[in-house]
Amino acid sequence: MAVLDLKRKLAILSDAAKYDASCASSGAEKRNSLGGKGVGSTEGMGICHAYAPDGRCISLLKILLTNFCIYDCAYCVNRVSSNVARARFSVKEVVDLTLNFYKRNYIEGLFLSSGVIRTGDYTMDEMVRVARSLRLDHDFRGYIHLKLIPEASPELAAEAGLYADRVSINVELPRDESLAVLAPEKDAAGIKKAMGRMRLHIEDRNEPVKAGRARPRRFASGQSTQLIVGADGARDGDILARSAALYGSYQLKRVYYSAFSPIPDGSARLPLSRPPLVREHRLYQADWLMRFYGFGQGEIVAPGEDLDLAVDPKTAWALRHRGDFPVDVNTADRETLLRTPGLGARGVDRILQARAQTRLTLDDVKRVCGSVKRAKPFIVTADWTPGAATDAEGLRAALVAPQQLSLF
Amino acid sequence: MRVARLESEIDFDGWRTAARALRAEGVRPEAVVWTVERELFDQGLFPPHEGEGKAFGVPAAFVELARTVILHRSPERFALLYRILHRLERQPRLLDNPADTDVAKARDMAKGVGRAIHKMHAFVRFRRVEDVAPETPREQYVAWFEPAHRVTEAAAPFFARRFANMNWSILTPDACVHWDRAMLTMSAGADPADAPSQDAQEEMWRTYYASIFNPARLNPAMMKQEMPRRYWRNLPEAALIPDLIEKAQSRTETMVAAQPAKPSERVLKAALKHARGSYGEGNLTNLEEVAAGIQVCRRCDLWRDATQGVPGLGPARAALMIVGEQPGDQEDLQGVPFVGPAGQLLDRAMAQAGAPRDRVFVTNAVKHFKHEPRGKRRLHKTPDRGEVQACRWWLDAERRLVRPKVILALGATAVQAVFGKALPIGKTRGQRQALDGGELALVSWHPSFMLRIPDRDAKDRAYAELVTDLKQAWKLAG
Ligand code: SF4
């Protein structure tokens, strides 16, 4: 086999990693390199060091250790039957690249994933060696995210959590049944079990420490997962129900949705068309409503149904509940305001703050929320009432036009 | 007209002293001109710079806001801050009204400054300088950066925390900051030529940048919103952008147009081998097969949102079998029955009753955890009759294989599964009943029932009854 130079390897193995939606580097324990020997800090909030032409943020060196893989998952560009160029990094190469990039302030840390070579344990062990070397040999204090191989042994997964800030296991397909069809070697139950074990590890670590005992060493503070949207027939309602179950079962920090994207040398088992990117966007909005706005999954969209692509899920909900509107921004409680289209969590807090002093006008709301375009038909202010607009036939159409998303 | 002259563009202390004096004198905001220019207004009246303004109280949030706003490049920032200060005298809670025009403007500026700091943290690109003295090698890095506002000083501590063990400098047109692994120092603004012009890693970084984006998702508008053009000049990767955008469309088309390759026969065979066969009805000859079968069971829908099936646990030939309702949150994660709060209560009761847990076969009527997500938690839901009925298949297999003398059913669901019908527990507990399979059956309260009773006495009573029933069951089994 020809020896590839490092640059070529980097091109192949970062190209292969681009389908993974997760990139966030937030939620790590705060730490810095003062008093240490190495480099690095995390400040709670991650930093996006660049943006790619696809609009996504680059905060981590996101690469695969190798894109050789013994499996044949239809949606995956690295499946054994695909004809893409292959490469493999050595442990040291990944460590050096990470440090070199980090010291120049290109990245927040490393996101390491891998195709499965030989066995799950062998592959996981290589990945753990990268993290261990960064932490122990180089006193690296930046962010590390490791993608676990679900079938690797629990001990290796636990060790991964010792060095990584975040670990994740991709569920990939929202329906276990489709996993059986599109990724016959993947075992949905095995993935769930691995996530369950990881939750127990993470919780264990957060137990209060007995007096006189040292706190066990650093352990991942969270796990996340990714669902591919549009590769199987799952509807948005099914996808969100799955997310709700995953959040509740495994205390996930995030579920990422990745619109199924055409891949080079695609498999014949996949749908030909790709879902509109706006669908992914709507799913994130719906997910957000569940996590931060107190919406139950069932309130947003029923299983077996899809989200409205033309309006955001909160507006769609409000249009179905017109009887609850308009709400008076000067008197309504927080929960009600949070459910009003166009009012974000920050805006709502500011409204509550401001109204202690003044009766808010439409202009005031505009100043604290940035815009009232969407909120206008749903709110009453000191100088504005939508009158019959809330119930108007054409309201939905009026709300669609101005915010048509052009993601492509 | 009063003229207030400050030492520098970010001279907060100077502004504060001047503002304090002006306000003490009652000078109206319209009557002040703020400047940092030396020559201008040399004939003007200057407010005293030290000591003469009497201190007065303002909300701490204002001082903080002003410190930030002063870093903004807008020439009107000094005047705006003084106007707010002036208004605070009569409206001490002014800052709490985010809808006020002046307040909103100041907050916008502060937000802009915050964003500029953040972007500086993100977009500074260090270049390594060759060692000046090779005999004492140390890593020295220099960056050239043009911040949107005058934030160099404010942004510097972040770099000191992150790159504590490197020597580095960040040069900007306003000011330069240097870190020698111990202290931050400032110097006057510099020129791009003072910084190194390249770094060997930039070629690697550009390779990464070009490879990590997905051409099928091209969205330059979004990119520009987060990475404004004003920063591109000093980002080594930004030079690639036009070309990447231009080629994205054709790259996508090539991808889509490419004929899917036929997977090799070998691969398909391997896939088939991995696909699991279903469990065969009736051919369960030992408990391992039962446990494996439960993992792939699809007899009802509960497997879907559960982590795993939880089979019974205990000696393959136990004289006593205890049947509970279904696994809970902890059982679901660990794959072991009765390890959560209810399990701990059962352990305690069993110990008290003298029935050693490791000699009893403990299982559940339903093998998968039925629950409903509620935010970040899972709320237990009682399995319905259909589910109990479907899962009885596994309980019956366990009964057939373990062949216990006595079965203790805990709670209504277990009763339903063991007897095939409902019985009132309060009335029937304590009575032994013969089952068709020849076993003796007893019923008792489910420990999680005790966890839910609010009344202390009733709780203690139910617990004592459970201990009594366990004792009896153990004796009968003995
Ligand atoms: S609960 Fe019982 S019947 Fe339902 S899927 Fe699980 S093992 Fe099968």
Side-chain angles (χ1 to χ4, degrees):
Chain A
M1 199 194 310
V3 180
L4 298 175
D5 75 343
L6 192 63
K7 203 173 116 186
R8 178 82 186 119
K9 282 194 202 177
L10 177 62
I12 293 174
L13 293 170
S14 50
D15 185 273
K18 69 181 180 231
Y19 304 99
D20 204 306
S22 44
C23 73
S25 52
S26 54
E29 247 177 34
K30 286 191 185 182
R31 54 175 185 261
N32 59 50
S33 51
L34 294 164
K37 290 210 304 275
V39 71
S41 65
T42 52
E43 313 232 330
M45 284 281 284
I47 297 174
C48 301
H49 286 267
Y51 290 82
D54 57 12
R56 297 201 282 189
C57 128
I58 299 176
S59 75
L60 301 169
L61 171 60
K62 186 160 71 171
I63 46 173
L64 263 55
L65 191 59
T66 176
N67 64 341
F68 287 102
C69 189
I70 56 175
Y71 292 152
D72 198 44
C73 306
Y75 50 79
C76 180
V77 62
N78 303 318
R79 66 188 188 286
V80 63
S81 62
S82 140
N83 295 318
V84 292
R86 307 276 176 170
R88 178 178 172 183
F89 277 130
S90 71
V91 168
K92 184 168 186 307
E93 283 170 337
V94 176
V95 169
D96 289 349
L97 258 179
T98 308
L99 291 172
N100 278 337
F101 278 12
Y102 197 91
K103 286 180 178 173
R104 283 151 184 86
N105 201 42
Y106 301 162
I107 51 169
E108 292 287 287
L110 173 68
F111 178 116
L112 187 62
S113 178
S114 182
V116 178
I117 39 173
R118 287 199 225 170
T119 64
D121 269 358
Y122 174 80
T123 312
M124 195 69 240
D125 187 55
E126 290 263 291
M127 294 167 78
V128 168
R129 280 173 54 207
V130 171
R132 191 196 299 133
S133 172
L134 278 168
R135 293 290 192 227
L136 303 188
D137 304 341
H138 300 278
D139 193 20
F140 176 66
R141 301 187 182 183
Y143 194 85
I144 299 180
H145 181 148
L146 293 180
K147 177 125 289 167
L148 300 186
I149 312 283
E151 56 271 38
S153 70
E155 293 73 37
L156 275 173
E159 200 188 346
L162 221 55
Y163 307 121
D165 294 287
R166 169 101 37 111
V167 292
S168 60
I169 305 175
N170 280 0
V171 172
E172 306 287 18
L173 297 172
R175 299 193 311 185
D176 290 353
E177 291 89 338
S178 4
L179 202 59
V181 176
L182 294 176
E185 300 105 334
K186 279 221 178 125
D187 168 15
I191 294 173
K192 286 195 262 183
K193 275 187 217 172
M195 290 212 250
R197 277 197 302 267
M198 192 42 81
R199 177 185 148 192
L200 292 172
H201 282 313
I202 292 172
E203 283 173 354
D204 234 23
R205 184 242 187 204
N206 294 333
E207 291 276 290
V209 182
K210 287 212 188 81
R213 292 255 201 97
R215 175 169 280 288
R217 278 194 345 154
R218 177 196 297 118
F219 202 96
S221 67
Q223 57 174 337
S224 56
T225 197
Q226 163 169 306
L227 293 175
I228 296 177
V229 177
D232 62 0
R235 300 306 191 88
D236 295 339
D238 308 323
I239 295 169
L240 289 174
R242 161 77 12 139
S243 302
L246 289 170
Y247 278 124
S249 301
Y250 310 113
Q251 311 293 299
L252 297 188
K253 295 275 190 236
R254 282 287 296 276
V255 174
Y256 292 93
Y257 304 95
S258 175
F260 164 70
S261 154
I263 49 177
D265 197 26
S267 156
R269 278 174 285 169
L270 286 175
L272 285 171
S273 61
R274 124 190 112 104
L277 283 181
V278 62
R279 182 170 175 206
E280 189 185 287
H281 182 65
R282 293 284 179 245
L283 281 168
Y284 276 119
Q285 288 177 320
D287 186 285
W288 199 260
L289 292 185
M290 293 193 317
R291 286 188 298 145
F292 300 111
Y293 288 71
F295 279 80
Q297 185 268 320
E299 288 183 277
I300 302 170
V301 58
E305 281 173 18
D306 279 325
L307 291 165
D308 190 337
L309 290 188
V311 290
D312 68 277
K314 205 207 269 189
T315 303
W317 178 86
L319 287 169
R320 289 196 303 274
H321 295 83
R322 296 198 199 194
D324 300 353
F325 295 96
V327 303
D328 187 336
V329 296
N330 284 301
T331 55
D333 60 22
R334 187 160 191 276
E335 280 63 42
T336 310
L337 291 173
L338 282 176
R339 285 183 171 238
T340 308
L343 305 185
R346 268 257 287 272
V348 167
D349 286 342
R350 293 217 180 120
I351 287 174
L352 294 175
Q353 199 192 0
R355 82 189 186 187
Q357 302 211 26
T358 168
R359 284 198 13 95
L360 289 149
T361 63
L362 203 56
D363 270 349
D364 290 334
V365 177
K366 194 189 271 168
R367 257 193 300 280
V368 299
C369 294
S371 150
V372 287
K373 230 189 230 165
R374 232 166 352 137
K376 222 170 145 183
F378 299 99
I379 58 171
V380 169
T381 68
D383 61 343
W384 159 259
T385 152
T390 315
D391 297 316
E393 286 276 341
L395 177 57
R396 185 175 176 284
L399 287 166
V400 172
Q403 40 149 10
Q404 192 71 265
L405 283 154
S406 55
L407 282 176
F408 196 81
Chain B
M1 194 52 85
R2 303 289 294 269
V3 176
R5 200 175 64 189
L6 305 179
E7 287 302 317
S8 78
E9 296 283 0
I10 58 170
D11 177 15
F12 175 75
D13 291 336
W15 176 85
R16 172 144 78 172
T17 312
R20 204 185 266 156
L22 290 164
R23 209 202 84 176
E25 271 183 55
V27 179
R28 300 192 53 75
E30 309 82 69
V32 190
V33 174
W34 297 87
T35 180
V36 249
E37 303 285 322
R38 283 273 136 219
E39 290 77 25
L40 242 65
F41 304 109
D42 254 352
Q43 305 310 313
L45 286 165
F46 292 85
H49 244 114
E50 277 140 49
E52 289 183 34
K54 266 241 304 281
F56 42 82
V58 292
F62 174 70
V63 181
E64 211 179 297
L65 182 72
R67 262 185 214 287
T68 309
V69 167
I70 223 152
L71 306 181
H72 200 277
R73 290 200 195 271
S74 155
E76 57 164 331
R77 65 199 184 283
F78 302 125
L80 172 69
L81 288 174
Y82 183 63
R83 194 158 66 236
I84 294 175
L85 177 73
H86 200 261
R87 289 180 59 199
L88 275 172
E89 191 168 6
R90 237 169 297 151
Q91 290 168 265
R93 294 188 55 206
L94 176 63
L95 286 192
D96 295 336
N97 180 9
D100 178 84
T101 321
D102 282 342
V103 174
K105 193 181 237 166
R107 289 202 184 204
D108 267 356
M109 285 189 191
K111 209 168 126 193
V113 169
R115 196 170 141 89
I117 292 174
H118 184 79
K119 292 299 179 197
M120 180 157 175
H121 292 163
F123 297 150
V124 156
R125 301 280 182 258
F126 282 120
R127 285 172 169 156
R128 185 160 180 184
V129 187
E130 290 312 317
D131 295 327
V132 202
E135 59 280 5
T136 52
R138 45 176 202 179
E139 296 186 39
Q140 172 81 40
Y141 294 84
V142 178
W144 168 255
F145 191 73
E146 294 171 58
H149 297 292
R150 296 184 182 90
V151 296
T152 308
E153 244 171 319
F158 162 86
F159 292 99
R161 288 191 296 276
R162 172 156 295 191
F163 304 107
N165 301 300
M166 294 171 8
N167 290 46
W168 52 260
S169 297
I170 302 173
L171 317 181
T172 86
D174 311 311
C176 301
V177 56
H178 316 271
W179 171 255
D180 62 358
R181 289 189 285 174
M183 248 177 56
L184 280 172
T185 43
M186 301 295 299
S187 63
D191 195 78
D194 299 335
S197 57
Q198 57 182 354
D199 182 298
Q201 286 296 317
E202 281 175 10
E203 197 43 40
M204 294 297 272
W205 174 238
R206 272 192 290 264
T207 302
Y208 176 67
Y209 182 78
S211 310
I212 197 61
F213 100 97
N214 186 346
R217 306 177 56 115
L218 190 67
N219 189 351
M222 177 95 115
M223 172 187 70
K224 281 177 204 150
Q225 187 185 325
E226 300 295 344
M227 194 164 74
R229 268 181 184 282
R230 66 182 317 285
Y231 293 109
W232 289 18
R233 204 168 359 152
N234 297 312
L235 291 171
E237 65 274 20
L240 301 177
I241 293 172
D243 192 51
L244 291 175
I245 292 177
E246 195 190 320
K247 298 223 173 88
Q249 185 67 30
S250 65
R251 274 178 70 194
T252 311
E253 276 158 17
T254 323
M255 271 200 304
V256 177
Q259 282 290 326
K262 235 181 123 199
S264 75
E265 283 299 310
R266 183 182 64 78
V267 165
L268 284 183
K269 265 208 207 108
L272 271 177
K273 214 174 76 198
H274 272 85
R276 301 233 219 139
S278 59
Y279 53 91
E281 306 249 337
N283 60 2
L284 297 163
T285 57
N286 60 50
L287 289 169
E288 284 76 57
E289 281 175 20
V290 173
I294 287 169
Q295 299 313 322
V296 295
C297 175
R298 302 288 186 266
R299 296 173 72 86
C300 77
D301 249 358
L302 294 185
W303 63 273
R304 205 179 294 273
D305 283 332
T307 302
Q308 55 194 317
V310 181
L313 185 72
R317 281 271 187 281
L320 173 61
M321 175 183 274
I322 295 179
V323 181
E325 186 190 45
Q326 63 153 345
D329 183 70
Q330 288 295 311
E331 287 81 9
D332 170 80
L333 295 175
Q334 296 184 32
V336 179
F338 281 104
V339 286
Q344 282 156 21
L345 200 68
L346 179 68
D347 279 348
R348 199 142 50 85
M350 284 177 79
Q352 227 167 308
R357 170 124 182 205
D358 60 357
R359 291 180 57 192
V360 177
F361 192 88
V362 180
T363 190
N364 282 303
V366 169
K367 311 300 189 200
H368 277 105
F369 179 28
K370 181 172 184 178
H371 61 274
E372 201 174 53
R374 179 68 49 82
K376 286 237 158 189
R377 301 210 352 258
R378 303 193 278 185
L379 296 188
H380 160 278
K381 268 175 89 180
T382 305
D384 64 32
R385 229 176 221 273
E387 287 147 357
V388 174
Q389 190 52 40
C391 210
R392 234 184 125 177
W393 201 78
W394 296 112
L395 180 63
D396 286 349
E398 287 177 330
R399 276 167 70 173
R400 206 171 54 238
L401 292 164
V402 177
R403 282 197 271 141
K405 248 163 93 183
V406 180
I407 297 181
L408 177 63
L410 303 179
T413 304
V415 167
Q416 178 73 42
V418 172
F419 295 88
K421 63 176 182 208
L423 295 172
I425 295 173
K427 282 206 194 112
T428 42
R429 59 159 291 277
Q431 306 167 9
R432 57 189 96 151
Q433 317 194 34
L435 291 170
D436 290 346
E439 310 101 322
L440 274 181
L442 289 173
V443 310
S444 190
W445 309 111
H446 196 286
S448 59
F449 166 66
M450 283 150 227
L451 292 172
R452 284 197 301 264
I453 316 181
D455 177 52
R456 186 81 235 182
D457 287 349
K459 194 184 239 152
D460 291 348
R461 214 175 319 121
Y463 178 76
E465 288 174 352
L466 174 65
V467 173
T468 310
D469 296 334
L470 278 163
K471 240 187 228 158
Q472 195 195 352
W474 182 242
K475 212 164 110 216
L476 286 171

